[in-house]
Amino acid sequence: MTKGRHVCALFAVLIVICLAARQGAADGPERPNVVIIFTDDQGYGDVGVYGARGFETPHLDQMAAEGVRFTEFYAASPVCTPSRAALLTGSYPIRVGLPNVLGPGSDIGMSADELTLAEMLKAEGYATAIYGKWHLGHHPEFLPTRHGFDEFHGIPYSNDMWPYHPTADHFPDLPLFEGEEVVNAAVQADDQKQFTKEFTERAVAFIEAHRDEPFFVYLAHPMPHVPLYVSEAFEGVSELGLYGDVIMEIDWSVGQILETLRDLELDEQTLVLFASDNGPWLVYGDHAGSSGPLREGKHTTWDGGTRVPFIAWYPGQIPAGAVCREPAMTIDLMPTIAGLTGGALPEHPIDGKDIWPLLRGDDEARTPQEAYFFYHGQGNRVLQAVRSGHWKLHFPHGYHTVVEPGTDGQPGEATQGETPLALFDLKNDLAQQTNLASVYPAVVERLEALADEARVELGDARLDMEGAGVRPPGRIDGE
Ligand code: MG
């Protein structure tokens, strides 16, 4: 064969490969972009399609109409830090050593031993960014840029951890970061008013800049966590007042993201997920959201504390207007995204499982998890509840409950409630009012056995977060 023929043959092979690749793309995106919009303390009842009253969420409702909405989706913790740790590692917070909320005085943060969702996608060539709230350690070695994010613009922990919140005047100034640099050493109220708008605009700009390569955007809104702020355009837009205004600005943010993806013709190549990190902080009364029909809210393992709105949108892949009534949890998102993107999960154990068949709307699909476990870092035993199927068993534990709700940004009065061992049928008793433990002892026994397995695998002792160095319990990989 002559040299010319060799070159011709090589070109022919290249053309065939290129055509095959284009065909593959036309059949469906093989590596979707991923956008996660994660709000803070938004209740189960705080989206139009979940029954919100006093404000409207047209963009979230539209997202649900074009995608799938879950009715039984859980955050892995009723408070911020552990919930975020679970989302980004696919593990229960107790496994990764972050069972409690961090603050400006914390010495610890996300361990370098963990593989985050951002690191997994970055290894696959994704451009990665987080805008908004991190809350997994504020010292340099714990920042998002050390955990797989190319860009970070936002705050290191909650927006109430600043000197101007009614219950938090002992806190230092709240910094705003760009990458690892503090670009505003003392966030003021006027800055917080811009948060939702600013983080949204940055996310939109990032998507536009990376339109030609795979990207992962984690838009972690600090709102509607107290203290509540909106930009001028959203002041007074809802009937409900400031809380409704804040949610309507978040809804605008969702609309901006989806519109950008449509304009760039990336809508059929992008998986967008929307969820909240935990339930509403009810002691703030009119500055808190609603858990709808569910019991209690933030800081509790009752369903109002952990069950959150969850909408997944991926036109052409997820059927429009689907509703999934199977239980699922934020820990399941990382394995699901790994399945869709080809991302490699860590070799060490994680707790989540791929729920793509649920997202895709398969009628026969069932949750891949035999049980979900609800940990909360108070008392000597932190495994407070277990759910399997439609049954949820609470072990005896204390919990925050509101006596007198607050107003205008001031917290009201709360007290400590106590529950005995209690079994609930969530299919018929959404509000967890009727304890059926004595009626169904075999169910109690089955769920107790599942909890015992979790105690062996993950532990059940109070973890001394601040007293034991950088990573107190270390990774827990069973005994
Ligand atoms: Mg929260």
Side-chain angles (χ1 to χ4, degrees):
M1 206 187 269
T2 65
K3 191 177 172 192
R5 280 186 180 165
H6 275 299
V7 172
C8 283
L10 185 60
F11 268 117
V13 168
L14 282 174
I15 287 167
V16 168
I17 289 171
C18 287
L19 286 173
R22 285 189 57 143
Q23 187 59 43
D27 285 346
E30 286 173 6
R31 294 205 313 162
N33 307 306
V34 179
V35 178
I36 299 179
I37 305 170
F38 209 49
T39 61
D40 201 341
D41 296 4
Q42 182 173 4
Y44 183 78
D46 290 336
V47 175
V49 285
Y50 285 83
R53 294 198 191 128
F55 56 88
E56 283 157 14
T57 59
H59 297 105
L60 281 163
D61 297 353
Q62 181 69 21
M63 183 181 173
E66 294 173 2
V68 61
R69 161 173 93 83
F70 280 53
T71 61
E72 324 264 320
F73 190 86
Y74 291 93
S77 167
V79 289
C80 297
T81 295
S83 177
R84 285 147 207 274
L87 173 74
L88 292 181
T89 63
S91 289
Y92 284 109
I94 194 170
R95 188 189 284 285
V96 301
L98 290 170
N100 288 311
V101 172
L102 304 181
S106 299
D107 293 326
I108 65 167
M110 174 77 85
S111 165
D113 295 344
E114 298 303 332
L115 182 83
T116 69
L117 186 49
E119 285 168 318
M120 180 185 84
L121 292 175
K122 192 173 167 64
E124 296 299 311
Y126 279 63
T128 56
I130 166 177
Y131 302 109
K133 168 171 158 178
W134 173 237
H135 216 174
L136 294 170
H138 66 286
H139 295 291
E141 64 269 36
F142 303 126
L143 289 174
T145 41
R146 307 293 179 96
H147 286 288
F149 289 99
D150 300 328
E151 282 197 19
F152 169 42
H153 180 73
I155 54 175
Y157 34 72
S158 294
N159 66 320
D160 66 336
M161 295 172 176
W162 74 330
Y164 313 109
H165 187 63
T167 61
D169 56 5
H170 56 290
F171 282 125
D173 283 329
L174 175 66
L176 180 78
F177 279 77
E178 181 71 50
E180 296 185 7
E181 302 297 318
V182 173
V183 290
N184 179 351
V187 164
Q188 303 297 309
D190 280 348
D191 301 317
Q192 292 225 31
K193 286 180 184 175
Q194 300 306 315
F195 273 180
T196 300
K197 184 166 178 268
E198 181 178 330
F199 300 137
T200 302
E201 287 173 351
R202 286 293 300 267
V204 166
F206 187 85
I207 291 169
E208 287 172 346
H210 296 276
R211 59 196 293 177
D212 294 326
E213 60 182 321
F215 57 78
F216 168 47
V217 175
Y218 175 35
L219 177 52
H221 283 299
M223 298 290 148
H225 192 293
V226 291
L228 301 177
Y229 289 102
V230 285
S231 69
E232 207 178 325
F234 285 87
E235 280 173 17
V237 292
S238 83
E239 250 173 66
L240 187 70
L242 183 55
Y243 186 85
D245 298 350
V246 168
I247 299 293
M248 287 186 70
E249 188 162 30
I250 286 171
D251 182 69
W252 163 84
S253 169
V254 171
Q256 291 292 297
I257 299 294
L258 301 188
E259 189 183 312
T260 302
L261 294 169
R262 281 194 198 96
D263 288 350
L264 297 173
E265 297 183 354
L266 293 174
D267 47 331
E268 295 194 358
Q269 293 169 47
T270 307
L271 171 68
V272 183
L273 305 173
F274 175 90
S276 172
D277 72 334
N278 52 251
W281 203 348
L282 297 173
V283 75
Y284 280 91
D286 62 352
H287 279 211
S290 163
S291 50
L294 308 177
R295 182 167 176 179
E296 298 292 346
K298 177 174 178 172
H299 290 295
T300 80
T301 52
W302 299 105
D303 265 31
T306 51
R307 200 192 294 200
V308 292
F310 176 70
I311 303 170
W313 184 90
Y314 187 0
Q317 302 293 319
I318 289 177
V323 178
C324 178
R325 302 185 187 283
E326 286 289 301
M329 193 181 264
T330 46
I331 55 172
D332 299 320
L333 297 179
M334 182 158 162
T336 304
I337 292 166
L340 289 171
T341 60
L345 292 171
E347 284 178 13
H348 57 229
I350 65 169
D351 301 299
K353 293 189 174 163
D354 189 343
I355 55 165
W356 177 240
L358 297 180
L359 295 178
R360 197 176 52 201
D362 291 0
D363 287 342
E364 303 300 311
R366 296 290 173 265
T367 180
Q369 302 268 16
E370 189 175 6
Y372 286 100
F373 303 97
F374 298 88
Y375 282 86
H376 191 38
Q378 296 179 57
N380 290 321
R381 290 164 73 85
V382 291
L383 177 55
Q384 295 190 348
V386 53
R387 176 173 178 171
S388 181
H390 59 93
W391 296 106
K392 190 173 177 198
L393 182 67
H394 280 256
F395 301 106
H397 65 81
Y399 60 96
H400 283 291
T401 190
V402 175
V403 177
E404 183 70 40
T407 52
D408 292 333
Q410 295 282 344
E413 195 190 326
T415 186
Q416 184 81 347
E418 294 287 339
T419 180
L421 183 77
L423 178 72
F424 301 97
D425 173 4
L426 294 174
K427 195 160 62 180
N428 297 306
D429 180 20
L430 201 50
Q432 297 185 271
Q433 294 298 306
T434 307
N435 181 356
L436 298 173
S438 60
V439 184
Y440 296 100
V443 176
V444 171
E445 204 174 311
R446 183 172 76 80
L447 269 63
E448 279 181 330
L450 290 166
D452 285 341
E453 288 174 27
R455 290 187 179 107
V456 171
E457 177 68 19
L458 295 167
D460 189 16
R462 183 179 171 82
L463 301 170
D464 182 1
M465 179 178 68
E466 299 292 355
V470 170
R471 197 160 179 280
R475 160 162 274 275
I476 298 172
D477 285 341
E479 288 179 357

